[in-house]
Amino acid sequence: MLAKTLQMMIDENLTTAKEIGELSGVSTSTVYRWISGQSQPDFDSIRLLVRHMPRKEAQEALLSVYSAGTAWQYSHMDLELDVNDDGVVDVEDALDAAINMMRNAAETLAQLRAVRNGEPMDPEKTLQQIALLNEVARNCTITQRVLVDMAEQRRKRKLKLVAPGS
């Protein structure tokens, strides 16, 4: 199924074998082995490919086929990673998102404790709880994404420092 998806992405001009190789960190000949079914990409190659694939349609196609038949699910969130609007995505953004997550989680827990102690939870409060929990998940995801982006940027800088053939 993955082989057919890769071939379809190339046929529909969503990408090229060369681009797939560059984005996933493998040679073009390895990509052709994936397409022919002679070998399968490892998880890290798929992760890199999905993460750096510029077209959302191609990302979704890869995720769908890679997770098919498993208990895995994926969801897409458009997230602004520059949480503090300073023009830089850095550890401060990760901290701000984590702090927001903790505040929302604390508020949710306090409301649940009030319900446990006999305070009624009307439909409006239930919706507020759901919204707060969605914010907790969103801020958790932002924190994680910022940290992953920072780690990948460090990795890219290290790769650039190493001269080819050394």
Side-chain angles (χ1 to χ4, degrees):
M1 190 79 158
L2 181 62
K4 288 181 182 177
T5 301
L6 292 172
Q7 185 63 59
M8 178 218 48
M9 290 168 43
I10 292 169
D11 292 346
E12 293 182 8
N13 296 319
L14 295 177
T15 190
T16 65
K18 181 179 178 184
E19 182 181 43
I20 290 170
E22 289 170 354
L23 296 176
S24 60
V26 300
S27 68
T28 305
S29 61
T30 298
V31 173
Y32 284 118
R33 283 195 296 277
W34 295 346
I35 292 170
S36 69
Q38 294 173 2
S39 68
Q40 291 289 318
D42 61 12
F43 178 79
D44 200 42
S45 295
I46 291 292
R47 181 187 66 82
L48 287 170
L49 182 58
V50 169
R51 178 136 177 87
H52 298 292
M53 182 64 63
R55 305 269 312 258
K56 294 284 184 217
E57 303 94 337
Q59 289 176 339
E60 290 174 4
L62 286 167
L63 286 169
S64 293
V65 73
Y66 196 73
S67 62
T70 70
W72 291 47
Q73 294 181 343
Y74 75 91
S75 62
H76 173 75
M77 283 193 233
D78 285 324
L79 299 172
E80 176 55 51
L81 300 183
D82 185 10
V83 176
N84 57 17
D85 294 324
D86 66 355
V88 179
V89 175
D90 59 10
V91 72
E92 292 298 321
D93 295 298
L95 287 168
D96 288 345
I99 290 166
N100 291 338
M101 183 265 309
M102 294 302 289
R103 281 189 190 127
N104 290 332
E107 188 175 335
T108 299
L109 293 172
Q111 288 181 13
L112 289 173
R113 175 163 285 146
V115 169
R116 183 174 177 256
N117 291 334
E119 187 177 310
M121 184 177 270
D122 59 30
E124 186 176 322
K125 278 189 179 180
T126 301
L127 291 175
Q128 288 172 350
Q129 286 286 39
I130 292 168
L132 279 173
L133 289 171
N134 284 335
E135 278 299 303
V136 168
R138 183 179 163 281
N139 280 297
C140 233
T141 302
I142 288 171
T143 302
Q144 181 184 36
R145 289 271 313 276
V146 168
L147 294 174
V148 167
D149 282 357
M150 288 170 48
E152 286 183 353
Q153 290 302 318
R154 281 192 303 270
R155 183 173 160 235
K156 285 179 185 176
R157 281 193 294 265
K158 285 180 184 177
L159 289 175
K160 288 179 184 177
L161 291 176
V162 177
S166 55

